[in-house]
Amino acid sequence: AAHLAELDEVLGYADELAAAEHGPDAARAEPIEDLQPTALALPLPWLVDRYVALLEARQQAVMQLIDRDGSQLAMAVVSAQHEVTTTAHRIANVLARAGRPGEIAAHLAPLAGIGADKDLALRATLVADRPTADSYDALARSLAGDPDAPDPAAALAVCLAGLARFPHDAELSGSAAQHAAALGRVDQAIALYEGAIAAQNGEVDAALALRLGKLYAERISRLAYGGRPGAAAAAWQDLARYTASEARRSPGDVWAEVDAIGQSSLGRGLVSQGRLADGERALVASIDRAPSVDAYEALVTIYYKTGRYASATRYASAGLGLLGSDTSADRYHRAKLERLAGDLARAGNQSRDAAALYLDTMRLWTSLGEDRNLPRAIAAERKLEVGRALWFLGDHDKAVDLVLDAVDFDPTSPAICGSAVELLLELGASRYALDALHRGLGSDGLTELNKVYISLWALADARQHGAIADRLATDYLASRHGDLWYERLAEAATGRLDFAELAGAARTAPEQAELAFYGATLGLDPAAHTPAGQRTRLRAVVAAGMVMDAEYDLARLYLGR
Protein backbone atom coordinates (compact mmCIF):
# COMPACT_ATOMS: atom_id res chain seq x y z
CA ALA A 1 0.00 0.00 0.00
CA ALA A 2 2.86 2.37 0.80
CA HIS A 3 4.49 1.71 -2.54
CA LEU A 4 1.22 2.26 -4.41
CA ALA A 5 0.72 5.52 -2.57
CA GLU A 6 4.21 6.58 -3.62
CA LEU A 7 3.42 5.61 -7.19
CA ASP A 8 0.26 7.72 -7.06
CA GLU A 9 2.33 10.66 -5.88
CA VAL A 10 4.83 10.24 -8.71
CA LEU A 11 2.09 9.97 -11.33
CA GLY A 12 0.28 12.97 -9.86
CA TYR A 13 3.45 15.03 -10.09
CA ALA A 14 3.91 13.88 -13.71
CA ASP A 15 0.35 15.00 -14.44
CA GLU A 16 1.05 18.44 -13.00
CA LEU A 17 4.18 18.78 -15.15
CA ALA A 18 2.23 17.90 -18.31
CA ALA A 19 -0.52 20.39 -17.44
CA ALA A 20 2.05 23.11 -16.73
CA GLU A 21 3.63 22.57 -20.16
CA HIS A 22 0.57 21.92 -22.34
CA GLY A 23 -2.40 23.15 -20.31
CA PRO A 24 -5.15 21.24 -18.51
CA ASP A 25 -6.05 19.24 -21.62
CA ALA A 26 -2.77 17.33 -21.22
CA ALA A 27 -4.08 15.43 -18.18
CA ARG A 28 -3.06 11.73 -18.08
CA ALA A 29 -0.54 12.04 -20.94
CA GLU A 30 2.57 11.90 -18.80
CA PRO A 31 1.39 9.15 -16.40
CA ILE A 32 0.47 6.99 -19.40
CA GLU A 33 3.87 7.52 -20.97
CA ASP A 34 5.58 6.71 -17.65
CA LEU A 35 3.60 3.52 -17.04
CA GLN A 36 3.67 2.20 -20.60
CA PRO A 37 7.14 0.59 -20.78
CA THR A 38 6.75 -1.11 -17.40
CA ALA A 39 3.24 -2.35 -18.09
CA LEU A 40 4.39 -3.84 -21.41
CA ALA A 41 7.46 -5.52 -19.93
CA LEU A 42 5.98 -6.56 -16.56
CA PRO A 43 2.28 -7.27 -17.13
CA LEU A 44 1.15 -7.51 -13.49
CA PRO A 45 -2.67 -7.50 -13.29
CA TRP A 46 -2.99 -4.33 -11.18
CA LEU A 47 -0.42 -2.49 -13.30
CA VAL A 48 -2.08 -3.43 -16.59
CA ASP A 49 -5.49 -2.50 -15.23
CA ARG A 50 -4.20 0.88 -14.06
CA TYR A 51 -2.59 1.59 -17.43
CA VAL A 52 -5.67 0.51 -19.42
CA ALA A 53 -7.96 2.58 -17.22
CA LEU A 54 -5.83 5.67 -17.87
CA LEU A 55 -5.92 5.04 -21.63
CA GLU A 56 -9.71 4.66 -21.60
CA ALA A 57 -10.27 7.72 -19.42
CA ARG A 58 -8.01 9.84 -21.63
CA GLN A 59 -9.76 8.78 -24.81
CA GLN A 60 -13.16 9.62 -23.34
CA ALA A 61 -11.93 12.98 -22.06
CA VAL A 62 -10.44 13.89 -25.44
CA MET A 63 -13.67 13.01 -27.25
CA GLN A 64 -15.68 15.11 -24.77
CA LEU A 65 -13.38 18.08 -25.40
CA ILE A 66 -13.77 17.71 -29.15
CA ASP A 67 -17.57 17.38 -28.86
CA ARG A 68 -17.72 20.47 -26.63
CA ASP A 69 -15.30 22.78 -28.42
CA GLY A 70 -15.44 21.55 -32.01
CA SER A 71 -12.99 19.95 -34.37
CA GLN A 72 -10.71 23.00 -34.47
CA LEU A 73 -9.52 22.03 -31.04
CA ALA A 74 -8.65 18.53 -32.21
CA MET A 75 -5.11 19.26 -33.36
CA ALA A 76 -4.20 21.00 -30.09
CA VAL A 77 -5.61 18.11 -28.07
CA VAL A 78 -3.87 15.47 -30.17
CA SER A 79 -0.60 17.39 -29.83
CA ALA A 80 -0.86 17.29 -26.04
CA GLN A 81 -2.13 13.69 -26.06
CA HIS A 82 0.16 12.48 -28.82
CA GLU A 83 -0.68 8.76 -28.60
CA VAL A 84 -4.45 9.07 -28.26
CA THR A 85 -4.88 8.11 -31.92
CA THR A 86 -3.51 4.63 -31.12
CA THR A 87 -5.57 4.02 -27.98
CA ALA A 88 -7.20 0.82 -29.24
CA HIS A 89 -3.89 -0.74 -30.23
CA ARG A 90 -2.21 0.34 -26.97
CA ILE A 91 -4.95 -1.36 -24.97
CA ALA A 92 -4.83 -4.48 -27.13
CA ASN A 93 -1.03 -4.68 -26.98
CA VAL A 94 -0.77 -4.61 -23.21
CA LEU A 95 -3.66 -7.03 -22.64
CA ALA A 96 -2.22 -9.42 -25.22
CA ARG A 97 1.21 -9.33 -23.61
CA ALA A 98 -0.45 -9.98 -20.24
CA GLY A 99 -1.98 -13.17 -21.63
CA ARG A 100 -5.48 -11.69 -21.59
CA PRO A 101 -6.51 -11.53 -25.28
CA GLY A 102 -10.05 -12.58 -24.44
CA GLU A 103 -10.54 -9.30 -22.53
CA ILE A 104 -9.51 -7.01 -25.40
CA ALA A 105 -12.96 -6.85 -27.01
CA ALA A 106 -14.69 -5.66 -23.83
CA HIS A 107 -12.28 -2.75 -23.51
CA LEU A 108 -12.40 -1.75 -27.19
CA ALA A 109 -16.20 -1.89 -27.54
CA PRO A 110 -16.90 1.43 -25.69
CA LEU A 111 -14.30 3.33 -27.71
CA ALA A 112 -15.63 5.62 -30.42
CA GLY A 113 -14.07 8.33 -32.53
CA ILE A 114 -10.41 9.20 -32.34
CA GLY A 115 -8.27 6.28 -31.19
CA ALA A 116 -10.87 3.60 -31.92
CA ASP A 117 -10.28 0.82 -34.46
CA LYS A 118 -13.35 -1.05 -35.70
CA ASP A 119 -11.40 -3.73 -37.53
CA LEU A 120 -9.27 -4.50 -34.48
CA ALA A 121 -12.38 -4.52 -32.26
CA LEU A 122 -14.09 -6.98 -34.60
CA ARG A 123 -11.14 -9.35 -34.58
CA ALA A 124 -10.90 -9.13 -30.79
CA THR A 125 -14.64 -9.90 -30.55
CA LEU A 126 -14.19 -13.07 -32.60
CA VAL A 127 -11.47 -14.22 -30.22
CA ALA A 128 -13.69 -13.51 -27.22
CA ASP A 129 -16.98 -14.92 -28.57
CA ARG A 130 -16.15 -17.51 -31.22
CA PRO A 131 -12.48 -18.40 -30.76
CA THR A 132 -10.82 -20.36 -33.54
CA ALA A 133 -7.21 -20.74 -34.56
CA ASP A 134 -7.89 -18.39 -37.48
CA SER A 135 -9.38 -15.73 -35.22
CA TYR A 136 -6.30 -15.75 -32.97
CA ASP A 137 -4.08 -15.55 -36.04
CA ALA A 138 -6.04 -12.62 -37.49
CA LEU A 139 -5.89 -10.67 -34.21
CA ALA A 140 -2.14 -11.30 -33.94
CA ARG A 141 -1.55 -10.06 -37.47
CA SER A 142 -3.44 -6.86 -36.68
CA LEU A 143 -1.22 -6.19 -33.68
CA ALA A 144 2.01 -6.94 -35.54
CA GLY A 145 1.03 -5.07 -38.70
CA ASP A 146 -0.29 -1.82 -37.26
CA PRO A 147 1.67 1.02 -38.94
CA ASP A 148 1.61 3.26 -35.84
CA ALA A 149 2.06 0.80 -32.97
CA PRO A 150 3.37 -2.54 -34.32
CA ASP A 151 3.99 -5.01 -31.53
CA PRO A 152 5.31 -8.47 -32.50
CA ALA A 153 5.59 -9.37 -28.81
CA ALA A 154 1.84 -8.83 -28.38
CA ALA A 155 1.18 -10.74 -31.60
CA LEU A 156 3.30 -13.65 -30.38
CA ALA A 157 1.44 -13.67 -27.05
CA VAL A 158 -1.91 -13.90 -28.87
CA CYS A 159 -0.64 -16.77 -31.01
CA LEU A 160 0.67 -18.63 -27.96
CA ALA A 161 -2.69 -18.16 -26.24
CA GLY A 162 -4.33 -19.59 -29.35
CA LEU A 163 -1.92 -22.54 -29.43
CA ALA A 164 -2.84 -23.35 -25.85
CA ARG A 165 -6.35 -24.06 -27.19
CA PHE A 166 -5.41 -25.32 -30.67
CA PRO A 167 -1.96 -26.90 -30.18
CA HIS A 168 -1.87 -28.72 -33.52
CA ASP A 169 -2.81 -25.89 -35.86
CA ALA A 170 -0.04 -25.51 -38.44
CA GLU A 171 -1.00 -22.01 -39.62
CA LEU A 172 -1.07 -20.62 -36.08
CA SER A 173 2.26 -22.23 -35.22
CA GLY A 174 3.80 -20.78 -38.36
CA SER A 175 2.49 -17.30 -37.56
CA ALA A 176 3.79 -17.55 -33.99
CA ALA A 177 7.20 -18.54 -35.38
CA GLN A 178 7.24 -15.47 -37.63
CA HIS A 179 6.54 -13.17 -34.69
CA ALA A 180 9.17 -14.91 -32.55
CA ALA A 181 11.71 -14.55 -35.34
CA ALA A 182 10.89 -10.84 -35.65
CA LEU A 183 11.79 -10.50 -31.97
CA GLY A 184 15.13 -12.28 -32.51
CA ARG A 185 14.03 -15.33 -30.51
CA VAL A 186 15.72 -17.84 -32.80
CA ASP A 187 15.36 -20.96 -30.64
CA GLN A 188 11.69 -20.29 -29.94
CA ALA A 189 10.99 -19.63 -33.61
CA ILE A 190 12.73 -22.87 -34.59
CA ALA A 191 10.61 -24.86 -32.14
CA LEU A 192 7.42 -23.23 -33.43
CA TYR A 193 8.28 -23.85 -37.09
CA GLU A 194 9.07 -27.48 -36.28
CA GLY A 195 5.68 -27.69 -34.58
CA ALA A 196 3.99 -26.20 -37.64
CA ILE A 197 5.69 -28.71 -39.94
CA ALA A 198 4.80 -31.60 -37.64
CA ALA A 199 1.15 -30.49 -37.66
CA GLN A 200 0.93 -30.61 -41.44
CA ASN A 201 -0.61 -33.63 -43.10
CA GLY A 202 0.85 -34.84 -46.36
CA GLU A 203 3.32 -32.80 -48.38
CA VAL A 204 5.51 -30.40 -46.44
CA ASP A 205 5.11 -26.64 -46.96
CA ALA A 206 8.36 -25.67 -48.68
CA ALA A 207 8.12 -22.04 -47.54
CA LEU A 208 7.93 -23.10 -43.88
CA ALA A 209 10.84 -25.49 -44.30
CA LEU A 210 13.02 -22.81 -45.89
CA ARG A 211 12.21 -20.32 -43.13
CA LEU A 212 13.20 -22.97 -40.62
CA GLY A 213 16.44 -23.55 -42.51
CA LYS A 214 17.30 -19.86 -42.38
CA LEU A 215 16.73 -19.81 -38.62
CA TYR A 216 18.97 -22.85 -38.13
CA ALA A 217 21.53 -21.03 -40.27
CA GLU A 218 21.28 -18.00 -38.00
CA ARG A 219 21.80 -20.18 -34.94
CA ILE A 220 24.84 -21.82 -36.55
CA SER A 221 26.22 -18.45 -37.63
CA ARG A 222 25.86 -16.92 -34.17
CA LEU A 223 27.76 -19.79 -32.60
CA ALA A 224 30.54 -19.78 -35.19
CA TYR A 225 31.08 -16.03 -35.32
CA GLY A 226 30.91 -15.99 -31.53
CA GLY A 227 34.07 -18.09 -31.37
CA ARG A 228 32.36 -21.46 -30.82
CA PRO A 229 33.00 -23.43 -34.03
CA GLY A 230 32.51 -26.75 -32.23
CA ALA A 231 29.07 -25.71 -31.04
CA ALA A 232 28.26 -24.45 -34.55
CA ALA A 233 29.20 -27.85 -36.01
CA ALA A 234 26.99 -29.55 -33.40
CA ALA A 235 24.09 -27.25 -34.35
CA TRP A 236 24.59 -28.24 -37.99
CA GLN A 237 24.44 -31.92 -36.99
CA ASP A 238 21.16 -31.21 -35.17
CA LEU A 239 19.77 -29.76 -38.39
CA ALA A 240 21.03 -32.71 -40.45
CA ARG A 241 19.35 -35.19 -38.10
CA TYR A 242 16.11 -33.22 -38.18
CA THR A 243 16.00 -32.96 -41.99
CA ALA A 244 16.84 -36.66 -42.38
CA SER A 245 13.95 -37.55 -40.11
CA GLU A 246 11.54 -35.20 -41.88
CA ALA A 247 12.65 -36.42 -45.32
CA ARG A 248 11.62 -39.93 -44.32
CA ARG A 249 8.26 -38.70 -43.02
CA SER A 250 7.52 -36.21 -45.81
CA PRO A 251 9.88 -36.72 -48.76
CA GLY A 252 10.70 -33.66 -50.85
CA ASP A 253 13.55 -31.80 -52.52
CA VAL A 254 13.22 -28.93 -50.07
CA TRP A 255 15.07 -30.82 -47.32
CA ALA A 256 18.28 -30.88 -49.37
CA GLU A 257 17.94 -27.12 -49.79
CA VAL A 258 17.40 -26.66 -46.04
CA ASP A 259 20.52 -28.75 -45.37
CA ALA A 260 22.46 -26.65 -47.85
CA ILE A 261 21.41 -23.39 -46.17
CA GLY A 262 22.67 -24.65 -42.81
CA GLN A 263 25.87 -26.14 -44.15
CA SER A 264 26.67 -22.98 -46.10
CA SER A 265 26.24 -20.97 -42.90
CA LEU A 266 28.54 -23.39 -41.10
CA GLY A 267 31.15 -23.01 -43.85
CA ARG A 268 31.14 -19.21 -43.67
CA GLY A 269 31.28 -19.36 -39.89
CA LEU A 270 34.27 -21.71 -39.87
CA VAL A 271 36.06 -19.46 -42.32
CA SER A 272 35.46 -16.53 -39.97
CA GLN A 273 37.45 -18.44 -37.35
CA GLY A 274 40.36 -19.12 -39.68
CA ARG A 275 39.41 -22.75 -40.31
CA LEU A 276 39.68 -22.36 -44.06
CA ALA A 277 39.94 -26.02 -45.05
CA ASP A 278 36.94 -27.03 -42.93
CA GLY A 279 34.97 -24.03 -44.13
CA GLU A 280 35.71 -24.72 -47.78
CA ARG A 281 34.65 -28.37 -47.41
CA ALA A 282 31.37 -27.32 -45.84
CA LEU A 283 30.69 -24.76 -48.57
CA VAL A 284 31.49 -27.21 -51.37
CA ALA A 285 29.32 -29.87 -49.71
CA SER A 286 26.44 -27.37 -49.45
CA ILE A 287 26.71 -26.69 -53.19
CA ASP A 288 26.64 -30.42 -53.86
CA ARG A 289 23.41 -30.66 -51.85
CA ALA A 290 21.72 -27.65 -53.41
CA PRO A 291 23.65 -24.90 -55.23
CA SER A 292 23.28 -21.44 -53.72
CA VAL A 293 24.66 -18.10 -54.80
CA ASP A 294 25.77 -17.27 -51.26
CA ALA A 295 27.97 -20.36 -51.11
CA TYR A 296 29.47 -19.62 -54.54
CA GLU A 297 30.16 -16.03 -53.54
CA ALA A 298 31.88 -17.15 -50.33
CA LEU A 299 34.07 -19.64 -52.16
CA VAL A 300 35.03 -17.12 -54.85
CA THR A 301 36.02 -14.63 -52.14
CA ILE A 302 38.11 -17.24 -50.29
CA TYR A 303 39.92 -18.43 -53.39
CA TYR A 304 40.51 -14.89 -54.65
CA LYS A 305 41.97 -13.68 -51.36
CA THR A 306 44.20 -16.73 -51.03
CA GLY A 307 45.57 -16.40 -54.56
CA ARG A 308 43.85 -19.46 -56.06
CA TYR A 309 42.57 -17.57 -59.07
CA ALA A 310 41.73 -20.57 -61.29
CA SER A 311 39.42 -22.05 -58.64
CA ALA A 312 37.91 -18.64 -57.95
CA THR A 313 37.19 -18.12 -61.66
CA ARG A 314 35.62 -21.56 -61.97
CA TYR A 315 33.26 -21.01 -59.05
CA ALA A 316 32.42 -17.48 -60.22
CA SER A 317 31.38 -18.87 -63.61
CA ALA A 318 29.34 -21.62 -61.98
CA GLY A 319 27.60 -19.12 -59.69
CA LEU A 320 26.79 -16.81 -62.58
CA GLY A 321 25.40 -19.81 -64.45
CA LEU A 322 22.74 -20.17 -61.75
CA LEU A 323 21.47 -16.65 -62.27
CA GLY A 324 19.28 -15.07 -64.86
CA SER A 325 18.56 -11.38 -65.21
CA ASP A 326 14.77 -11.27 -65.00
CA THR A 327 14.38 -10.73 -61.24
CA SER A 328 15.86 -8.04 -59.03
CA ALA A 329 17.32 -10.75 -56.78
CA ASP A 330 19.16 -12.36 -59.70
CA ARG A 331 20.52 -9.01 -60.89
CA TYR A 332 21.64 -8.15 -57.36
CA HIS A 333 23.59 -11.40 -56.93
CA ARG A 334 24.92 -11.23 -60.49
CA ALA A 335 26.26 -7.72 -59.85
CA LYS A 336 28.17 -8.92 -56.80
CA LEU A 337 29.62 -11.99 -58.53
CA GLU A 338 30.60 -10.05 -61.65
CA ARG A 339 32.46 -7.51 -59.49
CA LEU A 340 34.41 -10.40 -57.95
CA ALA A 341 35.06 -11.74 -61.46
CA GLY A 342 36.34 -8.28 -62.40
CA ASP A 343 38.71 -8.33 -59.42
CA LEU A 344 39.96 -11.73 -60.59
CA ALA A 345 40.56 -10.46 -64.10
CA ARG A 346 42.40 -7.41 -62.76
CA ALA A 347 44.58 -9.62 -60.54
CA GLY A 348 45.44 -11.67 -63.61
CA ASN A 349 46.44 -8.52 -65.57
CA GLN A 350 43.46 -8.91 -67.89
CA SER A 351 42.60 -5.23 -67.80
CA ARG A 352 40.20 -5.22 -70.75
CA ASP A 353 38.15 -8.12 -69.34
CA ALA A 354 38.18 -6.50 -65.91
CA ALA A 355 36.87 -3.20 -67.31
CA ALA A 356 34.07 -4.99 -69.17
CA LEU A 357 33.02 -6.84 -66.02
CA TYR A 358 33.10 -3.66 -63.90
CA LEU A 359 30.95 -1.86 -66.47
CA ASP A 360 28.48 -4.73 -66.51
CA THR A 361 28.41 -4.69 -62.71
CA MET A 362 27.48 -1.00 -62.77
CA ARG A 363 24.77 -1.65 -65.36
CA LEU A 364 23.26 -4.39 -63.20
CA TRP A 365 23.26 -2.21 -60.09
CA THR A 366 21.60 0.61 -62.04
CA SER A 367 18.89 -1.75 -63.30
CA LEU A 368 17.60 -2.24 -59.74
CA GLY A 369 15.85 1.14 -59.91
CA GLU A 370 15.95 4.39 -57.95
CA ASP A 371 17.28 4.66 -54.41
CA ARG A 372 13.92 5.60 -52.94
CA ASN A 373 12.37 2.37 -54.20
CA LEU A 374 15.05 0.12 -52.69
CA PRO A 375 15.70 -1.01 -49.13
CA ARG A 376 18.14 1.46 -47.58
CA ALA A 377 20.80 -1.21 -47.07
CA ILE A 378 20.67 -2.29 -50.74
CA ALA A 379 20.80 1.29 -52.02
CA ALA A 380 23.82 2.05 -49.82
CA GLU A 381 25.55 -1.17 -50.89
CA ARG A 382 25.00 -0.18 -54.53
CA LYS A 383 26.75 3.15 -54.00
CA LEU A 384 29.66 1.39 -52.35
CA GLU A 385 30.00 -1.26 -55.06
CA VAL A 386 29.65 1.17 -57.96
CA GLY A 387 32.22 3.40 -56.29
CA ARG A 388 34.61 0.46 -56.06
CA ALA A 389 34.13 -0.34 -59.75
CA LEU A 390 34.58 3.30 -60.80
CA TRP A 391 37.87 3.53 -58.93
CA PHE A 392 39.32 0.66 -60.93
CA LEU A 393 37.92 2.22 -64.11
CA GLY A 394 39.94 5.36 -63.33
CA ASP A 395 37.26 7.81 -62.12
CA HIS A 396 38.69 8.28 -58.63
CA ASP A 397 36.83 11.46 -57.64
CA LYS A 398 33.41 10.07 -58.48
CA ALA A 399 34.33 6.79 -56.81
CA VAL A 400 35.19 8.48 -53.51
CA ASP A 401 32.01 10.56 -53.63
CA LEU A 402 29.88 7.44 -54.04
CA VAL A 403 31.62 5.57 -51.22
CA LEU A 404 31.07 8.48 -48.83
CA ASP A 405 27.49 8.83 -50.08
CA ALA A 406 26.94 5.19 -49.10
CA VAL A 407 27.93 5.97 -45.50
CA ASP A 408 25.62 8.99 -45.42
CA PHE A 409 22.74 7.08 -47.02
CA ASP A 410 22.74 4.32 -44.40
CA PRO A 411 24.59 5.75 -41.39
CA THR A 412 23.30 3.03 -39.06
CA SER A 413 24.89 0.15 -41.00
CA PRO A 414 28.14 -1.19 -39.51
CA ALA A 415 28.76 -3.21 -42.68
CA ILE A 416 28.56 -0.16 -44.96
CA CYS A 417 30.67 2.12 -42.79
CA GLY A 418 33.28 -0.56 -42.06
CA SER A 419 33.52 -1.57 -45.72
CA ALA A 420 33.85 2.08 -46.76
CA VAL A 421 36.70 2.79 -44.32
CA GLU A 422 38.50 -0.43 -45.25
CA LEU A 423 38.06 0.09 -49.01
CA LEU A 424 39.37 3.67 -48.93
CA LEU A 425 42.38 2.60 -46.85
CA GLU A 426 43.14 -0.21 -49.29
CA LEU A 427 42.89 2.19 -52.22
CA GLY A 428 45.34 4.57 -50.57
CA ALA A 429 42.67 7.24 -50.09
CA SER A 430 43.47 7.66 -46.40
CA ARG A 431 42.16 11.23 -46.16
CA TYR A 432 38.74 10.13 -47.39
CA ALA A 433 38.84 7.05 -45.17
CA LEU A 434 39.05 9.46 -42.23
CA ASP A 435 35.96 11.26 -43.56
CA ALA A 436 34.07 7.94 -43.50
CA LEU A 437 35.48 7.19 -40.05
CA HIS A 438 34.30 10.52 -38.63
CA ARG A 439 30.81 9.97 -40.03
CA GLY A 440 30.77 6.54 -38.41
CA LEU A 441 31.90 7.86 -35.04
CA GLY A 442 29.05 10.37 -35.16
CA SER A 443 26.40 7.75 -35.95
CA ASP A 444 24.09 6.46 -33.24
CA GLY A 445 23.53 3.29 -35.26
CA LEU A 446 27.05 1.93 -34.99
CA THR A 447 27.94 -0.02 -31.87
CA GLU A 448 30.95 0.63 -29.68
CA LEU A 449 32.64 -2.44 -31.16
CA ASN A 450 32.25 -1.15 -34.73
CA LYS A 451 33.62 2.26 -33.80
CA VAL A 452 36.61 0.79 -32.00
CA TYR A 453 37.67 -1.28 -34.99
CA ILE A 454 37.35 1.43 -37.63
CA SER A 455 39.36 3.70 -35.32
CA LEU A 456 42.04 1.04 -34.91
CA TRP A 457 42.30 0.63 -38.69
CA ALA A 458 42.80 4.36 -39.10
CA LEU A 459 45.55 4.48 -36.45
CA ALA A 460 47.29 1.47 -37.96
CA ASP A 461 47.21 3.02 -41.43
CA ALA A 462 48.52 6.36 -40.18
CA ARG A 463 51.48 4.66 -38.52
CA GLN A 464 52.22 2.69 -41.69
CA HIS A 465 52.39 5.96 -43.61
CA GLY A 466 54.28 7.86 -40.94
CA ALA A 467 51.31 10.21 -40.56
CA ILE A 468 49.91 11.83 -37.43
CA ALA A 469 47.23 9.71 -35.78
CA ASP A 470 43.70 11.03 -36.21
CA ARG A 471 42.65 12.91 -33.08
CA LEU A 472 39.01 11.83 -33.15
CA ALA A 473 39.96 8.17 -33.53
CA THR A 474 42.52 8.46 -30.74
CA ASP A 475 40.10 10.26 -28.43
CA TYR A 476 37.39 7.69 -29.06
CA LEU A 477 39.73 4.78 -28.28
CA ALA A 478 40.97 6.58 -25.17
CA SER A 479 37.40 6.78 -23.87
CA ARG A 480 36.85 3.00 -24.05
CA HIS A 481 37.63 0.65 -21.19
CA GLY A 482 36.48 -2.77 -20.01
CA ASP A 483 37.24 -6.48 -20.08
CA LEU A 484 35.96 -7.34 -23.57
CA TRP A 485 38.59 -8.04 -26.21
CA TYR A 486 37.90 -4.97 -28.34
CA GLU A 487 37.94 -2.79 -25.21
CA ARG A 488 41.35 -4.17 -24.31
CA LEU A 489 42.56 -3.45 -27.83
CA ALA A 490 41.43 0.16 -27.38
CA GLU A 491 43.27 0.40 -24.05
CA ALA A 492 46.46 -1.07 -25.53
CA ALA A 493 46.28 1.22 -28.58
CA THR A 494 46.18 4.27 -26.32
CA GLY A 495 48.95 3.15 -23.95
CA ARG A 496 46.76 2.03 -21.05
CA LEU A 497 47.41 -1.73 -21.26
CA ASP A 498 50.69 -3.58 -21.48
CA PHE A 499 51.19 -5.79 -24.55
CA ALA A 500 51.92 -8.84 -22.40
CA GLU A 501 48.57 -8.47 -20.65
CA LEU A 502 46.83 -7.99 -23.99
CA ALA A 503 48.51 -11.14 -25.32
CA GLY A 504 47.25 -13.08 -22.30
CA ALA A 505 43.69 -12.06 -23.12
CA ALA A 506 43.84 -13.30 -26.75
CA ARG A 507 42.16 -16.71 -26.55
CA THR A 508 40.39 -17.36 -29.86
CA ALA A 509 41.98 -17.67 -33.29
CA PRO A 510 40.59 -14.30 -34.51
CA GLU A 511 41.91 -12.60 -31.36
CA GLN A 512 45.36 -14.14 -31.88
CA ALA A 513 45.36 -12.83 -35.46
CA GLU A 514 44.32 -9.35 -34.32
CA LEU A 515 47.01 -9.44 -31.63
CA ALA A 516 49.63 -10.06 -34.31
CA PHE A 517 48.19 -7.38 -36.61
CA TYR A 518 47.91 -4.57 -34.09
CA GLY A 519 51.10 -5.64 -32.36
CA ALA A 520 52.84 -5.02 -35.69
CA THR A 521 50.97 -2.06 -37.15
CA LEU A 522 50.59 -0.04 -33.92
CA GLY A 523 54.01 -0.97 -32.57
CA LEU A 524 52.52 -2.62 -29.49
CA ASP A 525 54.65 -5.76 -29.79
CA PRO A 526 58.30 -5.10 -28.83
CA ALA A 527 59.32 -7.82 -31.29
CA ALA A 528 57.75 -5.84 -34.15
CA HIS A 529 59.86 -2.69 -33.75
CA THR A 530 62.08 -3.68 -36.68
CA PRO A 531 60.99 -4.10 -40.30
CA ALA A 532 61.81 -7.80 -40.15
CA GLY A 533 59.81 -8.25 -36.94
CA GLN A 534 56.87 -6.41 -38.40
CA ARG A 535 56.92 -8.53 -41.55
CA THR A 536 56.98 -11.69 -39.44
CA ARG A 537 53.89 -10.60 -37.53
CA LEU A 538 52.01 -9.55 -40.68
CA ARG A 539 52.80 -12.90 -42.30
CA ALA A 540 51.36 -14.56 -39.21
CA VAL A 541 48.15 -12.56 -39.73
CA VAL A 542 47.86 -13.80 -43.31
CA ALA A 543 48.71 -17.36 -42.28
CA ALA A 544 45.89 -17.29 -39.72
CA GLY A 545 43.48 -17.26 -42.66
CA MET A 546 40.89 -14.75 -41.42
CA VAL A 547 40.08 -13.92 -45.03
CA MET A 548 36.80 -12.17 -44.25
CA ASP A 549 38.41 -9.69 -41.84
CA ALA A 550 39.80 -6.25 -42.65
CA GLU A 551 42.99 -7.10 -40.74
CA TYR A 552 43.73 -9.87 -43.26
CA ASP A 553 43.32 -7.55 -46.24
CA LEU A 554 45.33 -4.75 -44.65
CA ALA A 555 48.11 -7.14 -43.63
CA ARG A 556 48.44 -8.29 -47.25
CA LEU A 557 48.44 -4.67 -48.38
CA TYR A 558 51.22 -3.65 -45.98
CA LEU A 559 53.30 -6.72 -46.83
CA GLY A 560 52.95 -5.85 -50.51
CA ARG A 561 54.36 -2.39 -49.81
Side-chain angles (χ1 to χ4, degrees), residues 124-426:
T125 299
L126 291 175
V127 166
D129 296 344
R130 295 189 295 277
T132 63
D134 287 344
S135 67
Y136 278 100
D137 191 9
L139 177 59
R141 291 183 187 279
S142 288
L143 298 180
D146 179 63
D148 298 313
D151 192 341
L156 175 60
V158 170
C159 286
L160 294 178
L163 286 170
R165 302 186 66 163
F166 308 99
H168 304 299
D169 189 86
E171 290 289 334
L172 192 55
S173 292
S175 292
Q178 283 184 284
H179 302 313
L183 293 165
R185 300 179 184 178
V186 173
D187 291 342
Q188 185 181 26
I190 286 173
L192 287 164
Y193 273 130
E194 288 179 349
I197 290 170
Q200 290 179 330
N201 295 318
E203 187 175 351
V204 67
D205 185 330
L208 280 184
L210 291 174
R211 288 182 201 146
L212 175 63
K214 290 176 181 177
L215 285 167
Y216 264 107
E218 186 174 346
R219 174 192 279 174
I220 292 165
S221 179
R222 286 182 179 182
L223 291 168
Y225 283 90
R228 301 176 60 195
W236 150 244
Q237 291 298 329
D238 289 342
L239 174 60
R241 282 190 291 269
Y242 173 78
T243 55
S245 172
E246 287 300 312
R248 289 191 295 271
R249 188 176 72 89
S250 303
D253 294 338
V254 71
W255 297 118
E257 193 171 349
V258 170
D259 269 344
I261 291 171
Q263 198 163 22
S264 176
S265 179
L266 175 65
R268 293 192 299 273
L270 293 174
V271 169
S272 78
Q273 301 301 301
R275 294 174 55 171
L276 281 182
D278 292 339
E280 288 172 28
R281 279 195 293 271
L283 287 165
V284 171
S286 78
I287 288 173
D288 290 341
R289 290 177 184 275
S292 72
V293 180
D294 288 339
Y296 277 117
E297 187 179 329
L299 283 169
V300 173
T301 302
I302 293 165
Y303 291 138
Y304 167 63
K305 290 191 175 185
T306 53
R308 291 173 283 176
Y309 297 147
S311 295
T313 301
R314 185 172 69 254
Y315 277 101
S317 298
L320 289 168
L322 284 179
L323 300 168
S325 57
D326 294 335
T327 69
S328 294
D330 276 359
R331 294 196 297 274
Y332 168 76
H333 287 296
R334 180 174 284 278
K336 295 174 72 175
L337 272 175
E338 289 204 1
R339 194 269 294 169
L340 285 169
D343 290 345
L344 285 166
R346 180 170 51 83
N349 294 318
Q350 298 169 328
S351 56
R352 182 171 296 178
D353 290 343
L357 286 163
Y358 287 141
L359 287 170
D360 201 42
T361 292
M362 293 167 59
R363 180 187 62 77
L364 287 164
W365 279 115
T366 302
S367 72
L368 296 181
E370 298 183 21
D371 287 346
R372 67 173 181 270
N373 297 325
L374 293 173
R376 183 173 292 274
I378 299 296
E381 184 182 9
R382 171 167 65 183
K383 293 176 185 294
L384 189 67
E385 288 293 305
V386 172
R388 185 196 301 267
L390 277 175
W391 179 278
F392 295 122
L393 289 171
D395 193 345
H396 293 181
D397 291 340
K398 180 62 175 175
V400 168
D401 287 343
L402 278 171
V403 172
L404 294 178
D405 283 349
V407 178
D408 289 338
F409 197 81
D410 192 4
T412 63
S413 169
I416 292 297
C417 184
S419 296
V421 173
E422 179 189 351
L423 173 62
L424 292 168
L425 290 176
E426 289 179 20

